[in-house]
Amino acid sequence: MARSVLVSGGCGFIGSHLIDRLLLRADLETLVIVDNLWTGSRQNIAHIADPRLSLEIQDVENFRSDRRFDEIIHLASPASPPWYMRSPARTIKANLGGALNLLTLLKPGGRFCFTSTSEVYGDPLVSPQPESYRGSVDCTGPRSSYDESKRCTESLLFETQRVDGLDVRVVRLFNVYGSRTRIDDGRAISNFISQALTTGILTVYGDGSQSRSWGHVDDIVDALERFFWRDNISHRGPLNIGNDCEVPVLQIAKFICSLVPGGSIEHRPPAPQDPTNRCPDLTLARRILPGWKAKTGYQDGIERTLHWFREQMAAIDAVPVA
Ligand code: UDP
């Protein structure tokens, strides 16, 4: 059956990788991206020439259409702390306002997929974090616009499922990195790489002992594809998706220094309410998505990301000054 699909945030880092995968689907008839290009970029889909794809440049919470869609995948949101902390209202509108609006564009019986976040666990008191862990989030803290809008959107979707039988799919993503991250994104791996390639000073907040589980985007979209596309599934989420190899931030910075000669590490004051640790319990993901595995180790993934950043920066340098 021919399917119409809407992806919010399809010009973003993860969204654009997902668009590439969607276009490989033989049952895809139309694919509409809604993106306001706030953190996303047209460049991320510039390589695509496919008549099924169209782009609507709009805030997701205000997008209006006479069309209705078989599948909606809602990714639109900034995901980097400096970006969402600068614009909390906009972050809440994109996540929660976006979901409320997009639900009105779903065909009856349609499927609604949402990328939530490991941030719903806040600064976790258990490790690794299973989906049943309810988290430790400060609803008035500096990260709350992101954390709480993701949590509330999960609540909206699961409650709509309970009341109206909505077909939902919700994933919680853990620290995704890779190609098509903005050079000025500000998250750890992208920041360290762009700093290594420019100033040579890698800014580690605090002592760098705080840890994360770094998931390469190829592995992450592989899981999204297996979860979002499949019709028969025994569990609709929330589902942790990530790489369960937990590595301290300082180790990541040192590794990037080892790849780019001349770099040095400078410690800065800790980021406010920075979670001390984060690691997914992937038991459920392994059961629901047989055959899926986060295959990319951080060393390999970072080398590939570094290569991509080098190409991007060389292309910027090559643009003649008017
Ligand atoms: N971080 C850092 N230097 C940077 C950017 C981030 O030390 O230039 C730290 C940050 O304080 C956090 C970790 O790296 O402890 C991961 O930060 P990121 O923004 O990538 O993701 P999140 O905090 O949302 O997990």
Side-chain angles (χ1 to χ4, degrees):
M1 193 185 62
R3 315 281 290 170
S4 55
V5 180
L6 181 152
V7 177
S8 74
C11 292
F13 155 50
I14 300 175
S16 62
H17 284 281
L18 202 64
I19 294 294
D20 288 338
R21 306 252 180 152
L22 273 162
L23 289 169
L24 299 175
R25 271 173 57 173
D27 67 347
L28 184 92
E29 190 179 54
T30 50
L31 178 56
V32 175
I33 294 178
V34 180
D35 200 305
N36 60 9
L37 305 181
W38 171 23
T39 58
S41 161
R42 245 182 227 270
Q43 189 56 34
N44 287 338
I45 57 162
H47 59 285
I48 301 172
D50 190 310
R52 294 172 299 174
L53 180 69
S54 59
L55 168 63
E56 301 278 351
I57 302 175
Q58 285 213 30
D59 290 332
V60 60
E61 66 274 20
N62 298 325
F63 177 64
R64 302 281 174 265
S65 175
D66 293 333
R67 287 198 214 160
R68 295 294 175 265
F69 297 87
D70 297 299
E71 296 171 36
I72 291 181
I73 306 178
H74 182 29
L75 296 107
S77 172
S80 170
W83 284 77
Y84 65 68
M85 284 182 193
R86 269 198 297 272
S87 303
R90 222 176 156 186
T91 302
I92 293 168
K93 278 188 209 161
N95 280 292
L96 185 57
L100 283 163
N101 183 38
L102 292 177
L103 279 172
T104 68
L105 303 181
L106 194 65
K107 282 185 190 169
R111 180 178 307 157
F112 198 101
C113 306
F114 177 57
T115 48
S116 184
T117 171
S118 61
E119 289 286 323
V120 300
Y121 302 124
D123 191 3
L125 304 176
V126 300
S127 180
Q129 296 87 52
E131 288 83 353
S132 55
Y133 178 54
R134 291 187 187 166
S136 167
V137 175
D138 174 1
C139 71
T140 63
R143 304 172 77 97
S144 60
S145 67
Y146 186 69
D147 303 6
E148 295 290 359
S149 63
K150 291 285 190 189
R151 286 170 74 100
C152 193
T153 303
E154 285 200 26
S155 164
L156 168 72
L157 297 175
F158 285 110
E159 280 298 273
T160 308
Q161 176 184 44
R162 185 177 64 80
V163 172
D164 294 332
L166 177 71
D167 178 1
V168 295
R169 305 285 164 90
V170 173
V171 290
R172 293 176 177 163
L173 305 181
F174 285 67
N175 289 81
V176 188
Y177 70 97
S179 61
R180 304 189 193 157
T181 319
R182 294 179 67 97
I183 288 168
D184 59 353
D185 171 78
R187 276 173 286 185
I189 290 183
S190 54
N191 224 22
F192 294 155
I193 291 178
S194 33
Q195 289 169 336
L197 294 176
T198 54
T199 59
I201 296 170
L202 282 68
T203 54
V204 169
Y205 305 147
D207 65 5
S209 63
Q210 69 273 31
S211 56
R212 296 290 188 272
S213 303
W214 313 93
H216 189 266
V217 67
D218 288 352
D219 292 331
I220 302 308
V221 291
D222 192 19
L224 297 185
E225 174 174 350
R226 288 164 192 254
F227 189 51
F228 288 170
W229 286 200
R230 206 160 84 217
D231 287 329
N232 300 316
I233 209 136
S234 58
H235 173 85
R236 294 167 195 278
L239 188 67
N240 287 341
I241 298 295
N243 187 324
D244 54 5
C245 172
E246 191 174 2
V247 183
V249 168
L250 186 60
Q251 191 173 324
I252 296 291
K254 282 183 176 165
F255 179 67
I256 293 170
C257 276
S258 76
L259 298 177
V260 186
S264 63
I265 289 169
E266 208 170 275
H267 289 271
R268 298 274 167 88
Q273 294 196 1
D274 200 1
T276 52
N277 68 99
R278 200 58 78 58
C279 182
D281 181 329
L282 296 175
T283 312
L284 196 54
R286 291 195 186 98
R287 182 157 64 77
I288 303 297
L289 311 175
W292 175 75
K293 191 169 178 274
K295 297 188 283 281
T296 315
Y298 79 87
Q299 295 96 332
D300 176 32
I302 287 176
E303 282 187 43
R304 280 156 57 190
T305 309
L306 173 64
H307 178 74
W308 184 83
F309 268 75
R310 277 202 163 110
E311 281 181 350
Q312 298 309 300
M313 289 176 147
I316 294 169
D317 285 346
V319 174
V321 179

